[in-house]
Amino acid sequence: MNTPHVSEILHTRCCIVGGGPAGIMLGLLLARQGVEVLVLEKHADFLRDFRGDTIHPSTLEVMHELGLLDEFLARPHQRTQTVSLVVGGVPLTLGDFSHLPTRCKFIAFMPQWEFLDFLADHAREYPHFKLRMQAEVTDLIEEQGRMAGVRVSTPEGALEVRADLLVAADGRRSVIREKAGLEVLDIGAPMDVLWMRVSKHPSDPSQLLGRIEAGQMLVMIDRGDYWQCAYLIPKGSLERLKQEGLQAFRAKLARVAPFLGDRLEELQSWDDIKLLTVAVDRLKQWYRPGLLCIGDAAHAMSPAGGVGINLAIQDAIATANILGPGLKRGPVGPEQLALVQKRREWPTRMTQRLQVLLQNRLITPVLNSTQPVSPPRLLRWLAQQPLFRRIPARLVGIGFRPEHVR
């Protein structure tokens, strides 16, 4: 294979591939410790629609620990203190964040580009932080069994980045983990998600709504003047839906959320509907000498609970806490990289177990159902118990092993 002419060679202590929540947060935290860091992001900006935008109480706690919470919450966002479902027309409140031992007892909904812009703006205040946009990593550089750098394509030409540590934070389709040959354990997901926008009226319900009817599940996130809608479909069934036609699809949406009415005509073509191919997987080993994977590159999560961003943030914090002091002095060995996986693998496994349980016990039966659905009596009773509501709120809002900024 011909290697493109390299116009520039950069050297840095830590090179982070991917400017998502894990990558930008880790860059901020390492630069804050005085570690020289370069973040490479292949896009020109952060403006991509239908990315996860749930900021959980655990992440808001991190913003407080960084001294940024008040400024962060001054940005446009919506809040919810409960998690609600409407099952067969019966409303159920299954989670209540008001009792969490955190400063913010709510989930904040903020477009991911707002979140990333905020983090990047503050990271740039540190002289050791650099962010390079339109920098797409195409290959790894391996020398003497160690990952020593990456080859990068930019509008100005090809460049190389040499680093003491490479961190792959480039998502579930990570180029880095593929090039490194890391083994992926595919846990599987029975569904995909269709994302779309529908305008919101003042008379609409205001809380976070999951709506379940026979064969249908719809999650509606209040984005102020519109609903961000996630419609679950059996995996691989999009082409069948398209063959049935857009009008038939709008009729399905109207059955599960009748109050949307004629607003569904806003979906003018299939271009207005974006497919998220759901994956649940994790790496058997998150690292190789000179390389560490975090966030979705280490473990792709189901959108259930919206916890993907927050797990990515927790990975970044653990990485900075464990590796930052040593990385400031020089390269870190595989035994130190293993400590990050040891710290973060258990909460990842437990979260994925819960997601698989939810897939098997709720999502798959509902999507395969042709009969009217109604909530079981036990679930109706539990939803009325304030103490029960605290359990899902704790699992979703804080998780199994929250990390704190040192």
Side-chain angles (χ1 to χ4, degrees):
M1 183 179 69
N2 293 328
T3 301
H5 174 72
V6 174
S7 60
E8 188 178 6
I9 298 177
L10 303 177
H11 296 267
T12 187
R13 185 73 78 193
C14 179
C15 174
I16 300 169
V17 180
I24 298 294
M25 178 61 83
L26 178 58
L28 166 61
L29 294 174
L30 289 178
R32 187 171 173 265
Q33 294 183 42
V35 177
E36 185 185 28
V37 59
L38 170 63
V39 180
L40 302 175
E41 167 55 42
K42 68 179 181 180
H43 295 98
D45 54 45
F46 298 124
L47 287 170
R48 278 163 305 287
D49 213 346
F50 304 125
R51 294 290 182 93
D53 58 3
T54 49
I55 312 298
H56 287 51
S58 60
T59 299
L60 294 171
E61 194 75 3
V62 171
M63 303 308 284
H64 168 75
E65 292 167 356
L66 290 170
L68 303 175
L69 181 61
D70 290 342
E71 184 182 350
F72 180 67
L73 291 178
R75 292 215 168 190
H77 68 281
Q78 288 73 40
R79 305 180 182 187
T80 185
Q81 201 169 54
T82 61
V83 175
S84 301
L85 286 177
V86 178
V87 182
V90 179
L92 303 170
T93 299
L94 299 180
D96 181 357
F97 301 109
S98 64
H99 300 282
L100 290 181
T102 54
R103 282 159 185 81
C104 297
K105 304 177 190 302
F106 54 83
I107 287 179
F109 296 101
M110 180 183 291
Q112 192 173 117
W113 63 81
E114 286 273 7
F115 182 43
L116 295 177
D117 277 337
F118 181 86
L119 292 179
D121 286 347
H122 281 278
R124 290 187 184 98
E125 295 175 4
Y126 296 97
H128 295 289
F129 177 88
K130 289 183 175 61
L131 170 62
R132 189 148 182 169
M133 308 297 286
Q134 291 183 282
E136 182 174 5
V137 171
T138 58
D139 207 353
L140 278 169
I141 299 172
E142 183 174 357
E143 294 177 348
Q144 299 177 335
R146 179 183 171 276
M147 302 299 116
V150 288
R151 294 187 175 92
V152 186
S153 173
T154 76
E156 295 77 31
L159 63 89
E160 286 185 3
V161 177
R162 300 290 180 133
D164 290 329
L165 176 66
L166 298 173
V167 178
D170 52 340
R172 63 187 59 206
R173 296 184 182 89
S174 171
V175 171
I176 298 298
R177 81 177 190 183
E178 179 186 350
K179 297 286 186 181
L182 293 169
E183 183 180 351
V184 181
L185 303 174
D186 187 6
I187 298 164
M191 76 287 192
D192 291 326
V193 175
L194 299 180
W195 285 105
M196 67 212 83
R197 287 186 179 195
V198 179
S199 63
K200 182 175 179 291
H201 289 177
S203 58
D204 289 347
S206 58
Q207 73 268 40
L208 173 67
L209 289 178
R211 306 184 72 86
I212 298 176
E213 296 291 345
Q216 299 193 90
M217 298 186 70
L218 178 70
V219 177
M220 304 181 66
I221 299 173
D222 182 356
R223 300 297 307 127
D225 58 351
Y226 68 90
W227 291 106
Q228 181 170 311
C229 300
Y231 184 79
L232 278 64
I233 61 173
K235 182 162 285 295
S237 64
L238 176 58
E239 287 307 313
R240 188 176 74 243
L241 277 178
K242 286 185 175 180
Q243 289 171 9
E244 293 172 357
L246 190 59
Q247 187 57 42
F249 178 66
R250 288 194 291 249
K252 289 177 182 285
L253 293 175
R255 286 195 294 273
V256 73
F259 69 88
L260 291 177
D262 58 6
R263 278 175 278 167
L264 294 170
E265 297 296 326
E266 296 167 8
L267 303 173
Q268 292 289 307
S269 75
W270 289 104
D271 291 336
D272 296 324
I273 301 163
K274 308 299 181 184
L275 173 68
L276 169 66
T277 302
V278 177
V280 180
D281 64 38
R282 64 176 177 269
L283 293 178
K284 185 174 182 179
Q285 181 171 301
W286 298 17
Y287 60 92
R288 285 186 60 186
L291 169 67
L292 174 69
C293 297
I294 63 172
D296 278 1
H299 46 72
M301 310 301 291
S302 160
V307 296
I309 289 180
N310 300 281
L311 276 170
I313 294 294
Q314 300 295 309
D315 285 359
I317 297 166
T319 301
N321 286 345
I322 293 169
L323 301 183
L327 193 58
K328 187 175 180 180
R329 296 188 296 270
V332 292
E335 66 283 352
Q336 292 162 294
L337 303 181
L339 291 176
V340 178
Q341 179 174 349
K342 183 178 180 181
R343 174 75 186 175
R344 295 303 308 157
E345 189 167 29
W346 179 77
T348 298
R349 284 173 176 262
M350 294 303 294
T351 304
Q352 288 182 331
R353 282 183 187 177
L354 277 182
Q355 291 188 327
V356 169
L357 180 67
L358 191 62
Q359 288 176 175
N360 294 342
R361 297 293 181 88
L362 175 63
I363 295 173
T364 298
V366 166
L367 293 181
N368 292 335
S369 171
T370 58
Q371 302 299 319
V373 297
S374 62
R377 289 182 180 178
L378 177 60
L379 185 60
R380 293 190 198 206
W381 180 79
L382 287 172
Q384 296 172 0
Q385 310 306 312
L387 284 176
F388 168 78
R389 295 176 183 175
R390 297 185 187 188
I391 299 171
R394 176 91 187 197
L395 293 174
V396 171
I398 296 179
F400 288 97
R401 181 177 281 162
E403 305 289 346
H404 298 279
V405 177
R406 290 180 189 167

